[in-house]
Each structure stands twice: as structure tokens, then as C-alpha cells.
Amino acid sequence: MAGAGRECSIANALAVIGERWSLLVLREVLLGERRFDQIARNTGASRDILAARLRALVDHGVLTREQYEQRPPRHEYVPTEAGRALAPVLLALMEWGDRYVTEGPGPTRWVHDCGAELHPELACAHCHTPVTADSIRLLRLGTVR
Amino acid sequence: MAGAGRECSIANALAVIGERWSLLVLREVLLGERRFDQIARNTGASRDILAARLRALVDHGVLTREQYEQRPPRHEYVPTEAGRALAPVLLALMEWGDRYVTEGPGPTRWVHDCGAELHPELACAHCHTPVTADSIRLLRLGTVR
DNA sequence: ATAGTCAGTTGGATATTCCAACTAACTGAG
DNA sequence: CTCAGTTAGTTGGAATATCCAACTGACTAT
């Protein structure tokens, strides 16, 4: 990465999962695909880059690498709590992609327990009211280093 | 980008805003910084890459480039509706970064109208209940090309 | 004149990515 | 035992992208 920029958890988050393939890897892992070849196929990442990304995601504590077979030694990639906590980011991204990028209906769709097709929105965890641009105000802004 | 992979709005979204600097540029623009030099300083992106990213974001309809001065001709970058709709993605990412990456308290913090410090969570836009991993089920899954 | 601001562009070194082919360790069929 | 297939990577080399400092061009302010 280049120069410093603003002190910011968005930048910090992107240092972990902001590389081209990381979020697609996470998507597959959270969908239940945990093996190298399947993740490679389903993301479209080349195998060397995928190996590097998986290593980085394990190093950063987003995934763990666990043996599921002794002979031959085989490992699968399992999301940690931090990894599972990225689901909202992926769903928010999917919702945005569905609305503003993908032509036609979304290729992947979910149903919520309430029976409606899922269209997630951001809410305040305290009062459970939707978060809109004019319902929040800045308390503190990270400084530019 | 490489091979095809799964048909997916996450991948489509990342094709638009998945490059290293795009989301940081969006962050600055949504915070109200709209001029080239300020965005460069506050993100830390090098100027050539920033110019390329801004062009791409304008091409993809996330920003518009608008003249705010005739002499000398000066332009500012203003978010479109699609750009403003990325705020939830950035807030979700910030929340995750605060929790799992940044050491200590988050460098940037918001207060919600309800008076509490903002900790956004994802909710169903229909029933306004929080979305958890086990409160949703797959309706349709994008196919791998 | 001279310095400073703003929004980029250019050139060259460096770093990353892509891709196909290869290794390594096995399994299961004949 | 031999041969094809599966799984999880690694390797080498070409193609791309990024970083950085310096430069341009159009102006303003002193």
C-alpha cells in the first residue's frame, strides 16, 4: 500500500479483506465451500493467488486451516468469528450490487424468517431504527497522518 | 480480472468498487471532501492511480464530475444516488474494522439520533428484525460459469 | 516577477497478477 | 502393479498495475 492517509477502520479493514479476491473467497467459505479446488473454481481466482490469499486470511484470523483427513493430508478453510462477522458486509455489498450493478434479478437471493425475500438495510443496534444519512452525526473523525 | 467464477452481485459490485482505493475515495467523498488534492492527501493514494479511480467511478455512475469554478476550470467529485447507497457498505466495513482489526477505540465514531453511539447491524427491510446467519435461507444461488 | 494552488499527466522502477504446467501425496479401477 | 484421477498447492515467465517524484498548465495572490 502507499502513503498513510486517514486513520480509519475502513482502511484497516481493507488491509485485511480489501484485495481483489478476499471477499469472494469469504463468500464461498460462508456459503459452505471449504476446499481449495472448489474455492478456486467458484471464485475464478488463479491458484497461486488463491493460496496467497488463504494464507493471508488465516494469518489475519479471518479463516482457520483445519485438517479433515489424515491420508492424504487434506485441509479445509473454516471461518472464524471474525470471518462470520463479515457476512453483513457481504450482504450489504450484494444488495448494492443487485440494485446498481447487476442487470435483471439478483443471481443469488435469500428469504428471511419473516417470509419476505431478504433486502437488508442498516439499523442502529441500540434502537433498531434504520440508519439514514441524516440520522447520524460525526462524533469524532480520524486524523490524517 | 481472471476467470469467470460464480454469477454474483458481490463480484459485480467488486468490479466497480473493489479496487484498492475506490472505497477510500468513496469514504472521503461521502465525508464531504470533493477535491482531487484533498482526496489524494486523505486516502494516501498516489495521484495517477487516484485519477484513474475517479475516472472509473465516474464511468460506473458512482460519482459525477462537476465544475464548481470557471477560471481556472475546477471540478469536484459528487456522489450519485448509487454512490450514496454505498454508505451502508462503508459503515458495515467500519464496524467490522473497529471490532476485529483496529486496536483501541475506533478512530471515527458516529452518534445515532436515538442518542447512542452508532453500532450498525443488518436488519430485514421488511420486518425490521436483525438479520442473523440462521434467520435467512438461500432461495437461489448464482451458478458458476 | 515570483510563489503558490489545483488537477492532473508522464516516465521509470517495483510489485502483483495471470496462466499453464508441474510436483507431491495419495485413492480406486483393472 | 500400473494407470488415470483427485486434491492442494508451487513454479516460471510474461503481462499488468502500482508507486513515486517530477513535470505541465492554468490560473491567483503578493
Side-chain angles (χ1 to χ4, degrees):
Chain A
M1 217 179 305
R6 194 189 295 282
E7 216 180 307
C8 167
S9 284
I10 297 173
N12 296 346
L14 290 173
V16 176
I17 47 87
E19 313 268 355
R20 235 215 276 302
W21 300 106
S22 303
L23 283 179
L24 294 182
V25 169
L26 250 295
R27 174 195 72 191
E28 288 305 316
V29 171
L30 292 176
L31 282 171
E33 297 291 357
R34 281 153 194 210
R35 318 243 285 250
F36 189 91
D37 275 29
Q38 275 308 310
I39 298 171
R41 237 185 303 282
N42 295 357
T43 57
S46 43
R47 309 173 66 77
D48 55 345
I49 299 301
L50 177 58
R53 285 299 157 268
L54 287 169
R55 235 190 315 272
L57 289 171
V58 168
D59 286 352
H60 284 113
V62 175
L63 300 179
T64 56
R65 184 166 177 272
E66 289 179 9
Q67 195 161 55
Y68 69 93
E69 203 181 87
Q70 271 84 26
R71 333 176 44 76
R74 288 282 180 269
H75 302 85
E76 58 181 356
Y77 294 91
V78 181
T80 60
E81 195 211 321
R84 290 190 301 273
L86 277 167
V89 173
L90 288 171
L91 286 170
L93 210 49
M94 192 183 81
E95 183 69 11
W96 186 81
D98 278 344
R99 267 194 222 287
Y100 296 100
V101 186
T102 305
E103 314 259 316
T108 297
R109 268 134 59 199
W110 302 83
V111 185
H112 190 237
D113 265 1
C114 72
E117 186 167 338
L118 183 66
H119 292 289
E121 63 181 15
L122 226 54
C124 170
H126 180 256
C127 71
H128 302 289
T129 309
V131 172
T132 59
D134 55 306
S135 72
I136 59 176
R137 63 170 210 283
L138 210 46
L139 180 63
R140 185 188 183 282
L141 182 57
T143 54
V144 179
R145 279 160 299 199
Chain B
M1 217 180 308
R6 195 190 294 281
E7 215 179 307
C8 168
S9 285
I10 298 173
N12 296 345
L14 289 174
V16 176
I17 46 87
E19 311 270 354
R20 239 215 273 301
W21 300 106
S22 303
L23 282 179
L24 294 182
V25 169
L26 250 295
R27 175 195 71 189
E28 289 304 316
V29 171
L30 292 176
L31 282 172
E33 297 292 355
R34 282 154 193 209
R35 319 240 287 250
F36 190 90
D37 274 28
Q38 274 308 312
I39 298 170
R41 236 184 304 281
N42 295 356
T43 57
S46 44
R47 310 174 66 76
D48 54 345
I49 300 299
L50 177 58
R53 285 300 158 267
L54 286 169
R55 236 190 313 273
L57 289 172
V58 169
D59 287 352
H60 284 114
V62 174
L63 300 178
T64 56
R65 185 167 177 271
E66 288 179 7
Q67 197 161 51
Y68 69 94
E69 201 181 270
Q70 270 85 28
R71 332 174 44 73
R74 287 281 179 272
H75 301 85
E76 60 181 356
Y77 294 91
V78 180
T80 60
E81 196 210 322
R84 290 189 301 274
L86 278 167
V89 174
L90 288 171
L91 286 170
L93 211 49
M94 191 183 81
E95 183 68 11
W96 186 82
D98 279 344
R99 269 195 220 285
Y100 296 100
V101 187
T102 305
E103 312 261 316
T108 297
R109 269 134 57 199
W110 302 82
V111 185
H112 190 236
D113 264 2
C114 70
E117 187 167 336
L118 183 65
H119 291 290
E121 64 181 15
L122 224 55
C124 171
H126 181 256
C127 71
H128 303 288
T129 309
V131 172
T132 58
D134 55 305
S135 71
I136 58 176
R137 63 171 210 282
L138 210 46
L139 181 62
R140 185 187 183 284
L141 182 58
T143 54
V144 180
R145 278 160 299 198

